[in-house]
Amino acid sequence: KDRVFSGIQPTGTLHLGNYFGAVSKWVQLQNENREVIFSIVDMHSITLPYNTKELEKNVLLMAASLIACGIDPEKSTLFLQSQVPEHTQLSWVLGCLTTMPRLGQLPQFKEKSSTLKDVPLGLYLYPVLQAADILLYKATKVPVGEDQIQHLQLAHSLARTFNKRFGDTFPVPEVLIQQNCSSRIRNLRDPMKKMSKSHPDPRGRIEITDEPDVIVEKVKKAVTDCTSKITYDPENRPGVSTLLTMHSLICGLLPEEICEENSLLDTGRYKHIVAEALVEKFTPIRQEILKLIDSPEYLSKILQEGQQKANLIASNTWQEVASKIGTIPSN
Ligand code: AQP
């Protein structure tokens, strides 16, 4: 039976890259009546320097944001990764089944470690913990943004290695990438980079809680190129193509159809249309977040209920793993 799993780090405010690349797909899968499990992966977000108070705040903000985006705690399991200790336990086992060169060559590790003088071991192990998150729930489908493909390949090979060595245990999960979003959503100020929560310049990302005038301003200042015509070419024209991708995901038309519809406009005028569509789409979501964030007890209760549901599956898998690898199961 299909089981969907995905996670998001509480490293900052959910942005439109997260929304279009992952969360909108989560909501769609949930509404197709599949078994869906989503985790706020706080253990991942301590792999880089962070502020403890900010982390606490960001966990609740992320829970509120996901619910406001359409994750329904009645239909989905929504929980906090650190509250289910089997994630780190399985991560250790999987860490013993991969090699240092395999982890060291992953692009995200290379990029995130390149600016650090002392690289934390946790950053290196990040994709192993991610594989544990997925395999612990025996997930068959994992909806993620395009930037996560290499990490998912590691999860695949860890599932295969485990199964070969200890007997069939984990399904090899299928990666689901948002259709119509062939490339990742780019940073608005630097389209060579992806839009990211932790990038120091907030002007490069649209956060889900941005006020309408902030959205308009960020889109207006988005870096495009010296061609004013609207064409969709993610490879050569990443700036304008990111605007078209987001617009397309909101209105349901293909980027090429939008280009045709707006063929008389230049990029400057087209930006107004995109900004308007974004404001219309995200204003109700922002208002819902503001309401939810005022009820921290409600949010904590949702996460606790999610934890209980997640625990049932996680402890079963862990018992199975523990007995297969030759350690003594605890019950
Ligand atoms: N720019 C993006 N375009 C498309 N998808 C994206 N995702 C992230 N950025 C983009 C997808 O969002 C999901 C959750 O991401 P994450 O929080 O687990 O980690 P991340 O990929 O490292 O995201 P950020 O926003 O860049 O966070 P920081 O700055 O903390 O590293 C994933 O499915 C991801 O693919």
Side-chain angles (χ1 to χ4, degrees), residues 9 11 15 18 112 145 147-148 185 194-198:
Q9 295 187 79
T11 32
H15 55 74
N18 302 137
K112 292 204 170 174
D147 58 314
Q148 295 296 326
I185 304 290
K194 70 164 192 156
M195 196 178 276
S196 175
K197 282 186 234 89
S198 49

Side-chain angles (χ1 to χ4, degrees), residues 183-202:
S183 64
R184 60 200 69 181
I185 304 290
R186 308 289 182 146
N187 181 308
L188 298 181
R189 303 299 296 219
D190 180 359
M192 295 317 286
K193 296 205 167 103
K194 70 164 192 156
M195 196 178 276
S196 175
K197 282 186 234 89
S198 49
H199 191 282
D201 184 358

Side-chain angles (χ1 to χ4, degrees), residues 108-306:
Q108 193 166 310
F109 172 73
K110 281 196 192 154
E111 196 190 318
K112 292 204 170 174
S113 60
S114 64
T115 52
L116 300 173
K117 189 162 149 281
D118 295 311
V119 179
L121 181 59
L123 187 65
Y124 194 70
L125 292 172
Y126 182 113
V128 178
L129 179 58
Q130 192 174 358
D133 296 340
I134 297 164
L135 301 186
L136 191 58
Y137 298 93
K138 300 194 176 185
T140 54
K141 294 201 171 358
V142 187
V144 285
E146 190 240 21
D147 58 314
Q148 295 296 326
I149 288 180
Q150 287 91 351
H151 287 178
L152 268 293
Q153 284 163 350
L154 177 77
H156 286 170
S157 82
L158 282 169
R160 288 198 186 98
T161 307
F162 189 100
N163 291 346
K164 204 161 147 215
R165 174 112 190 257
F166 302 111
D168 233 10
T169 309
F170 299 116
V172 176
E174 183 191 345
V175 187
L176 302 179
I177 304 287
Q178 180 67 275
Q179 282 166 10
N180 212 4
C181 185
S182 54
S183 64
R184 60 200 69 181
I185 304 290
R186 308 289 182 146
N187 181 308
L188 298 181
R189 303 299 296 219
D190 180 359
M192 295 317 286
K193 296 205 167 103
K194 70 164 192 156
M195 196 178 276
S196 175
K197 282 186 234 89
S198 49
H199 191 282
D201 184 358
R203 295 173 306 170
R205 61 177 169 266
I206 297 178
E207 298 182 348
I208 198 102
T209 49
D210 278 346
E211 303 266 350
D213 55 335
V214 176
I215 297 182
V216 171
E217 195 55 23
K218 286 181 177 173
V219 173
K220 204 164 112 190
K221 296 270 170 63
V223 169
T224 45
D225 50 35
C226 46
T227 311
S228 63
K229 202 168 158 16
I230 324 273
T231 58
Y232 184 65
D233 181 357
E235 189 86 354
N236 300 307
R237 302 194 66 202
V240 69
S241 299
T242 280
L243 299 178
L244 281 159
T245 299
M246 295 195 291
H247 192 183
S248 150
L249 288 165
I250 291 178
C251 71
L253 292 174
L254 292 173
E256 291 78 9
E257 291 171 325
I258 301 178
C259 292
E260 216 175 292
E261 240 182 33
N262 294 285
S263 61
L264 298 177
L265 300 186
D266 58 14
T267 42
R269 293 229 197 111
Y270 176 61
K271 281 178 175 177
H272 287 290
I273 294 183
V274 177
E276 213 173 284
L278 291 173
V279 168
E280 194 181 318
K281 166 89 187 163
F282 291 103
T283 297
I285 294 181
R286 180 174 58 87
Q287 286 165 344
E288 187 61 22
I289 295 173
L290 294 179
K291 254 200 274 168
L292 287 166
I293 206 69
D294 263 348
S295 315
E297 302 80 20
Y298 168 75
L299 296 170
S300 301
K301 188 174 138 266
I302 297 292
L303 293 177
Q304 254 168 36
E305 286 169 3

